[in-house]
Each structure stands twice: as C-alpha cells, then as structure tokens.
Amino acid sequence: MPKTPPQTAEQPDPGHSPFHAGEQALQRANGSRDRIEMFGRRAIRPYLPDQHRAFFAQLPFVAVAAVDSDGRPWASLFPGPPGFVHAPDAYHLDLALHGAAADPVRQALHPGAAIGLLGIEMHSRRRNRLNGRIKSLNAKQLRLRVDQSFGNCPKYIRHRQLSPSRPTTDRRTARVSARFTQLDGAVRDQIAAADVFFVASAIKAQDNPVIQGVDVSHRGGPVGFVTINGNSLIIPDYRGNNYFNTLGNFLLNPRAGLVFPDFDSGALLQLTGRTALLTQDSPELHGVDDAVGGWRFTLDEGLRLQDALPFRTTAQTQTDQ
C-alpha cells in the first residue's frame, strides 16, 4: 500500500469534490454521479503515492499538455532517459526538458502555468495521470506542484516495445517540418493509420481568465478508429471509468489539442482546435461499435515536429478493449 503523506495545510479540504461542474454534469447524465464521487474521493489524491513516484521515474517519455498565450491547448510527448522524471517528495515532480524548443507545449511553459501530465508504459499498459502547476522553471528542468494524481485502467492501450534510435538528449535534429490549417495529404494519411493519440483539454476559473486546470489523456482503438470528415475528426468515446475528465473539460471549454505520434519515424503531429460533444445516436457515430458517445474536433492549426522522439516502437498485439 502507498504511504500516505502527513496531513498538512497544503492539502485541500477533504469535503471538496475532486470533480468540477462539467465532469459532474456528465456523471449525472449517465447515472454514475454518486458512485463515482465516492470512488474519486479515495482514488484522486493531492499528492503522489509511492508507487506513482516509482512509476514515473522509470519512464522514457511522458505526455504533457499546456495552454498557449492565445488560450489554445496543445499536447506533446516529452522524452528522456529513465529518471528524467523524478519526484523529490510526494507533492512535487521534477521533469528534465529534453524535447524540442520549437514544440508549442515547450513554448507554453512558464512559472505558475497549469499543465497536465500522463505517464504511460506501453509494454505493461500501465498509466497514471497528474495535474498541477509549474512551481519553478529553467532551460533544463521544471518543477511541478501536484494538484491531482490518479491511476487509469489499461483499456485501449496497444502493447508496444521501445527501442532507442539516438541519444535522448540529442535535440539537434528535432524541427518543425510543416505548418498547416487543413487536414490533407500526409496529415490525413497519418491520422487514418493511427491507433493511438493523446488529447489536451483545459478549463478556466469562472471568475477570471486564468486557466484553472489542464489535463492530458490517452485515446486508443483499432486502426481507423478516428474518422476524417473534411477539416474535422470524429472520435468515438468508449465506456471507461466515468470520470469524464476530458469530456467534462470540453463541456466547459470546447478547445482541445491533439498529438498523434508516428512511432515509425519519430515525428509528432500536433493539432489544436475546437470540439463539439456527440451523443450515442449522432449520425457521425453510426456504425461505430461499442461507442457510448463521442466528439468532433475541428482543426484551427497544426504542425509536424520531425525527429521529436529518440526511440521507435514495435506494436505487439491489437488494442485490448
């Protein structure tokens, strides 16, 4: 069992719900509200349990989300040698910055900024989420103050093994090779071939424009599970933990950032745009097996970050659902 940190003034009021109004509304709509509230109060912590601290320290990359100066969420993958993510205590996480300076997530980082972080181990299908704020930042490292830490189930994660392709700290080859506002050509081809992407979402405080919370989440399915419709993507939502972290954010703020990793070339396809929630009976989801709803993403801007990942992966099996 993880060790529980001592009670301190830094910990939030235990009577405060771990879910915001958007998440609660969707939980209420599907009849899970009371059950998930009770479970969330036990599972969502304002600190890192010991097993989460150990888990993050062994990872070769993490998914990171941040919001730029125009209020647009972006998602990315930040790589590093095992140990590049380190928790000096249960309330903080240090992250060494080896990613490309041209990455829009890297450019959106600043002290006080809210960011979302997802640790995911592809070969074991374990994943843990962390949301917090940047406490300190320099050219080489950031320190994050933990707001929420919790685990996710391994559904829809495809088994993959990672193999190094170059030194993790070598950033010289990473570059933006294309910027675009239309989904066409090679962009459509990469999305059509994807069985995984990561999505960034964010909400604002109701009484001021400061971003209140940022989240990054994994989305997976069989190849072709993302449908391209003009300059929009249709993404099914499958039955999950009923937290509704991503969709609850969309309900309050429809902006989103997506990143599609190309594990064959090491490139990242990064998109930012706007979303609309879809119900299970929406025509755009017709024929999608097991979908309990979904969402439409419409592109505002995108870029391809070439040679961003210093490893390649080999897929082993089909996605477990």
Side-chain angles (χ1 to χ4, degrees):
M1 295 292 291
K3 297 178 181 178
T4 302
Q7 298 295 313
T8 72
E10 289 186 286
Q11 295 205 49
D13 179 356
H16 182 67
S17 175
F19 302 107
H20 61 66
E23 295 163 334
Q24 291 182 28
L26 294 180
Q27 292 164 6
R28 198 171 292 112
N30 84 339
S32 66
R33 174 78 192 103
D34 292 342
R35 175 175 58 85
I36 294 302
E37 177 69 23
M38 293 177 61
F39 182 79
R41 286 175 181 259
R42 296 192 304 268
I44 301 175
R45 307 173 177 94
Y47 62 87
L48 285 162
D50 288 350
Q51 70 238 36
H52 288 200
R53 296 172 68 185
F55 174 76
F56 279 110
Q58 67 188 12
L59 297 175
F61 75 90
V62 289
V64 184
V67 177
D68 69 15
S69 58
D70 293 322
R72 303 178 303 175
W74 293 90
S76 186
L77 302 186
F78 282 17
F84 86 108
V85 183
H86 167 70
D89 56 54
Y91 298 101
H92 299 91
L93 195 75
D94 292 343
L95 174 62
L97 299 172
H98 298 298
D103 189 322
V105 174
R106 180 76 178 272
Q107 294 178 348
L109 303 179
H110 60 83
I115 67 172
L117 193 144
L118 172 69
I120 184 166
E121 194 173 59
M122 306 299 284
H123 69 272
S124 70
R125 300 170 55 241
R126 290 179 61 196
R127 55 177 161 167
N128 288 307
R129 302 256 282 268
L130 187 153
N131 302 325
R133 288 186 179 274
I134 296 176
K135 186 172 183 179
S136 62
L137 173 69
N138 58 44
K140 296 182 178 180
Q141 180 177 284
L142 67 80
R143 172 162 289 186
L144 183 68
R145 172 66 170 88
V146 178
D147 287 338
Q148 290 185 326
S149 175
F150 55 99
N152 277 158
C153 69
K155 282 187 176 182
Y156 314 112
I157 301 176
R158 190 173 186 180
H159 295 76
R160 281 184 161 91
Q161 290 289 348
L162 274 60
S163 300
S165 61
R166 57 180 168 83
T168 302
T169 55
D170 182 2
R171 294 177 288 174
R172 291 171 295 178
T173 57
R175 66 195 187 282
V176 176
S177 61
R179 293 185 182 273
F180 50 87
T181 57
Q182 297 293 318
L183 298 173
D184 53 23
V187 174
R188 296 175 70 94
D189 293 342
Q190 181 174 344
I191 294 171
D195 59 17
V196 60
F197 72 90
F198 299 86
V199 52
S201 58
I203 59 169
K204 299 179 181 179
Q206 295 184 4
D207 57 352
N208 65 65
V210 177
I211 294 295
Q212 180 176 322
V214 179
D215 181 79
V216 62
S217 178
H218 166 277
R219 287 293 188 272
V223 171
F225 81 107
V226 177
T227 302
I228 305 171
N229 184 356
N231 214 36
S232 296
L233 306 177
I234 308 302
I235 296 101
D237 195 59
Y238 303 111
R239 194 172 303 280
N241 59 13
N242 290 317
Y243 281 7
F244 295 111
N245 301 124
T246 299
L247 300 189
N249 283 355
F250 290 167
L251 195 62
L252 301 182
N253 176 19
R255 290 184 166 188
L258 280 56
V259 60
F260 289 83
D262 184 338
F263 291 121
D264 293 329
S265 71
L268 297 178
L269 185 66
Q270 296 172 278
L271 315 175
T272 190
R274 297 179 181 270
T275 66
L277 298 184
L278 304 174
T279 62
Q280 187 174 14
D281 58 357
S282 295
E284 291 153 303
L285 295 174
H286 180 71
V288 181
D289 294 337
D290 301 324
V292 294
W295 43 287
R296 181 193 312 111
F297 170 86
T298 301
L299 178 69
D300 287 336
E301 184 182 352
L303 61 87
R304 184 175 177 84
L305 193 62
Q306 201 73 24
D307 296 318
L309 303 178
F311 52 78
R312 303 294 180 264
T313 71
T314 302
Q316 295 180 291
T317 65
Q318 290 298 314
T319 307
D320 292 320
Q321 300 186 16

